[in-house]
Amino acid sequence: MMFKSAMAFALTALLVVPVMAEEAVQPEAPVAEHFVLDNGLEVVVIPNHRAPIVTHMVWYKVGSADEAPGKSGIAHFLEHLMFKGTARHPAGELDRFVTEIGGSGNAFTTTDVTAYYQVIPPDALADVMDFEADRMRGLILTEDVIGSERDVVLEERRMRTDGNPQALLQEEVNATLFQNHPYRIPTIGWMHEMEQLNRADAVAFYNQYYAPNNAVLVVAGDVDAQTVRTLAQASYGVVPRGPDLPPRVRPSEPEHNTRRTVTLADPRVGIPSFSTSWIVPTYRTAEDGEAEALDLLSEILGGGSRSRLYQQIVKTGIGASAATRYDGGAYDPSTFTLYGAPQPDKALAEVEAAISAQVTQLIKDGVTQAELDAAKARYVRSIIFARDVQFSMANIYGAELANGGSIDNLTEWPDRIRAVTIEQVQAVAAKYLDPDLAVTSYLLPSDAGAQE
């Protein structure tokens, strides 16, 4: 299982909430306790006692962007291999245990992190911690295990990417947008490199990155911090440290000076669509206030039925869809994307021109105070609703800490959103949404020829 960005996934989920009267909510930060074990494992506990459920997550600070050249897909491959056996627990025992107690579990790999999680009753927490701590350094990888699981991930690529025109095009867009940074490489890997991954690659990656001093444990739900501390010391606390890792410094992007286009025509495509993307900073890399302004820009421009694109493109009958996407949670610079598709009686070029005109107008005239205030209110309110979703809270805290952030960042986030000005929103739009530096992609039916 892979997520483009767990942080983006969580925040997107949180933002799908109804709008309520602003004065009716008083956002407060959840009471989370954070401590570090002697072996370097960071632990976050987020108590929530409204239901007898616990979300247990282990985040490793490694993703596909940390892979060595020529070894694309190894991070995701190892995610699969982690479900194989150890000396104490044979393959499949963890899944059977979680299923038998009525819980659920899985894992995901992104460009920046790899995480494993279980949703379980509180009385199963000690057992799950024992399983996860055991496989943190005790995984046994044989040639038989490697060969069979490599076939599984190769088939996953065929199904999820090669069998999906939209995924194929996005892969090409990323490879075009990022000219040097490893975000240009697909998380699942290039097929020809995945086919060459072997036991030595997997063992080396596991030994280097899977260790308590490169991980974050998040436990949210019907627990208290002292209980988690005691259980964590008894399980994870006995796992030895791994090698000290160098700082995560990845290749940076050169200066971009061109506008680029990527087109895929495929018989499986029924409705043409387009997207335009730019590289933009994230919360970790941006200058003060810019990431918050980009989030609000995305919300005002294309963040749902109240956005400019929906009101001016979809409601007027030009587009079947029109929206924006900004992932501010990535470790390194990320993307801001506009996308749209026409109504059946409209041309793709018409919806593209209409969306482009909205961007031009926003850069020229800015946003209104009323638009900005409404967008801020929706964002701040989302935090209140987030507290009702235990898994999302665990996801947000895990992603933040695994990507080098802090609990203070999350606590202060609402105030930073409230502080954004209309000048800052206009400024980031003008600074980053330059059409001459964008990558525009077209996904077309095979008989459409060039975009209309």
Side-chain angles (χ1 to χ4, degrees):
M1 179 179 180
M2 294 179 296
F3 289 164
K4 171 66 174 67
S5 164
M7 182 71 166
F9 165 79
L11 290 176
T12 299
L14 298 182
L15 292 173
V16 184
V17 297
V19 175
M20 299 174 61
E22 186 172 12
E23 61 275 14
V25 296
Q26 294 296 325
E28 297 175 359
V31 179
E33 182 158 333
H34 175 241
F35 53 90
V36 181
L37 300 185
D38 290 343
N39 58 12
L41 178 70
E42 286 188 77
V43 183
V44 180
V45 186
I46 312 168
N48 182 331
H49 301 288
R50 291 189 302 170
I53 302 170
V54 172
T55 298
H56 171 269
M57 305 185 82
V58 176
W59 294 71
Y60 291 95
K61 302 174 187 177
V62 62
S64 60
D66 300 297
E67 296 164 339
K71 302 297 180 184
S72 66
I74 186 64
H76 173 245
F77 186 28
L78 192 56
E79 174 209 311
H80 278 244
L81 293 172
M82 281 289 282
F83 290 87
K84 303 306 176 183
T86 68
R88 293 179 53 217
H89 298 295
E93 187 173 318
L94 170 59
D95 284 345
R96 284 195 295 272
F97 173 78
V98 172
T99 300
E100 286 172 0
I101 62 173
S104 61
N106 210 325
F108 57 85
T109 305
T110 76
T111 52
D112 298 318
V113 299
T114 308
Y116 303 82
Y117 63 88
Q118 298 84 28
V119 181
I120 53 173
D123 59 7
L125 181 58
D127 290 313
V128 167
M129 282 184 161
D130 177 68
F131 275 110
E132 281 291 5
D134 181 44
R135 67 177 176 174
M136 183 174 277
R137 298 298 282 172
L139 190 65
I140 297 174
L141 296 174
T142 65
E143 292 290 355
D144 288 343
V145 163
I146 294 293
S148 60
E149 201 61 34
R150 185 174 53 221
D151 290 341
V152 171
V153 295
L154 290 172
E155 185 58 30
E156 183 175 338
R157 181 185 161 94
R158 293 186 189 97
M159 180 180 68
R160 291 178 178 270
T161 304
D162 301 336
N164 182 337
Q166 191 167 26
L168 274 175
L169 180 61
Q170 186 59 53
E171 195 170 82
E172 296 299 325
V173 168
N174 291 340
T176 305
L177 189 61
F178 291 97
Q179 298 179 349
N180 193 45
H181 191 281
Y183 285 169
R184 70 193 313 275
I185 300 171
T187 295
I188 198 167
W190 300 117
M191 179 65 88
H192 68 289
E193 292 184 350
M194 294 169 67
E195 291 170 340
Q196 302 303 314
L197 295 176
N198 56 43
R199 180 179 177 277
D201 298 327
V203 169
F205 195 84
Y206 176 70
N207 288 341
Q208 182 171 5
Y209 293 112
Y210 278 64
N213 48 310
N214 194 44
V216 179
L217 168 66
V218 182
V219 182
D222 191 18
V223 294
D224 61 81
Q226 184 54 52
T227 298
V228 173
R229 184 189 290 268
T230 299
L231 295 175
Q233 287 175 333
S235 52
Y236 294 101
V238 301
V239 179
R241 289 177 64 92
D244 291 333
L245 293 169
R248 300 174 83 180
V249 180
R250 290 133 167 193
S252 59
E253 282 293 290
E255 182 177 317
H256 290 192
N257 297 301
T258 58
R259 179 171 187 166
R260 290 144 285 162
T261 299
V262 180
T263 301
L264 174 65
D266 190 290
R268 295 169 291 184
V269 176
I271 300 174
S273 61
F274 89 99
S275 71
T276 300
S277 300
W278 296 264
I279 293 178
V280 297
T282 61
Y283 275 84
R284 197 187 75 84
T285 64
E287 297 177 12
D288 288 348
E290 282 198 336
E292 292 84 354
L294 284 165
D295 256 333
L296 293 172
L297 170 65
S298 180
E299 176 68 18
I300 291 169
L301 194 57
S305 62
R306 295 168 180 268
S307 70
R308 291 190 179 192
L309 295 188
Y310 189 88
Q311 293 293 324
Q312 300 300 322
I313 310 297
V314 177
K315 286 194 72 174
T316 58
I318 301 172
S321 65
T324 58
R325 182 175 57 248
Y326 168 56
D327 173 14
Y331 189 81
D332 285 327
S334 186
T335 57
F336 190 103
T337 298
L338 309 168
Y339 57 93
Q343 290 282 358
D345 60 339
K346 302 293 182 181
L348 180 58
E350 191 172 354
V351 70
E352 182 183 3
I355 290 175
S356 177
Q358 289 295 319
V359 176
T360 300
Q361 181 181 350
L362 191 149
I363 292 173
K364 177 177 177 290
D365 300 329
V367 301
T368 69
Q369 191 63 54
E371 284 179 303
L372 182 58
D373 290 343
K376 289 179 182 179
R378 288 195 292 274
Y379 258 74
V380 173
R381 288 167 192 152
S382 70
I383 299 172
I384 298 297
F385 288 93
R387 299 174 65 183
D388 278 344
V389 185
Q390 184 187 112
F391 185 83
S392 292
M393 290 305 293
N395 215 348
I396 289 172
Y397 276 78
E400 175 69 16
L401 292 175
N403 275 332
S406 68
I407 291 178
D408 286 345
N409 286 347
L410 295 174
T411 304
E412 296 163 0
W413 184 53
D415 287 337
R416 299 203 308 272
I417 289 290
R418 292 191 188 96
V420 173
T421 66
I422 55 177
E423 290 79 13
Q424 286 177 300
V425 174
Q426 185 177 14
V428 294
K431 181 177 180 179
Y432 294 111
L433 306 191
D434 182 346
D436 290 332
L437 304 180
V439 171
T440 298
S441 69
Y442 299 96
L443 185 61
L444 308 173
S446 58
D447 58 354
Q451 59 274 17
E452 299 174 352

